[in-house]
Amino acid sequence: MSSIRVHPGAWETMLAHARAAYPDECCGAMLGTGGEVRVAVPLENSFAGSRRTRYQVSPEDLLAATREARQGGLQLIGIYHSHPDRDAYFSETDLKNSCPWYRFLVLSMKGGVFDHAACWQPNPEQTEAARVELDLPI
Ligand SMILES: [Zn+2]
């Protein structure tokens, strides 16, 4: 099983973003190197429908995040999003809208409070996602 480690500053950014967006889903970029998430960049949930159960990252935002990562000597290694009042599973929709070359961190927010998190890596066919070991600063 592959693993990622989230640095404290990046984790605080994700948590604060998930809390602020609740009861909607939040989403953002995870920048780092290898299996290390050093910076989290909150992005806009651009899904046009109900954002309580869906998120969408615009290609423009993703491109900007990739540029920002490169400028800082980092890479875009994944996407995080929150699941308000749901567990941190990887849904069919999440899988369909994913990319096999990114890791996907999901934060479960119960009643607006962080409950647990899980990280996923889709297979190349995007038919299933394997669990990635997650090392959080908590
Ligand atoms: Zn999801």
Side-chain angles (χ1 to χ4, degrees), residues 8 11 20-21 24 36-37 40 45-46 60 66 71 75 88-89 103 113 117-118 123-124 127:
W11 179 241
D24 284 346
E36 306 274 323
V37 178
N45 181 348
S46 64
E60 294 78 17
T66 306
Q71 280 163 7
Q75 295 165 313
Y89 60 91
R103 273 92 177 264
V113 177
N123 64 359
T127 50

Side-chain angles (χ1 to χ4, degrees), residues 50-132:
S50 171
R51 289 184 287 274
R52 295 194 173 202
T53 54
R54 279 284 293 275
Y55 81 97
Q56 193 175 317
V57 175
S58 76
E60 294 78 17
D61 280 356
L62 212 51
L63 195 64
T66 306
R67 276 204 206 101
E68 187 180 326
R70 282 203 197 116
Q71 280 163 7
L74 305 174
Q75 295 165 313
L76 176 62
I77 61 178
I79 306 288
Y80 71 88
H81 76 284
S82 61
H83 278 179
D85 299 316
R86 284 173 293 134
D87 287 333
Y89 60 91
F90 207 55
S91 71
E92 284 294 316
T93 311
D94 286 337
L95 190 56
K96 205 174 70 188
N97 296 328
S98 67
C99 301
W101 50 88
Y102 295 135
R103 273 92 177 264
F104 291 84
L105 193 154
V106 184
L107 297 91
S108 169
M109 305 297 288
K110 303 271 175 80
V113 177
F114 173 74
D115 192 80
H116 64 279
C119 191
W120 306 92
Q121 172 110 50
N123 64 359
E125 299 78 29
Q126 287 172 238
T127 50
E128 57 185 11
R131 201 148 175 163
V132 175

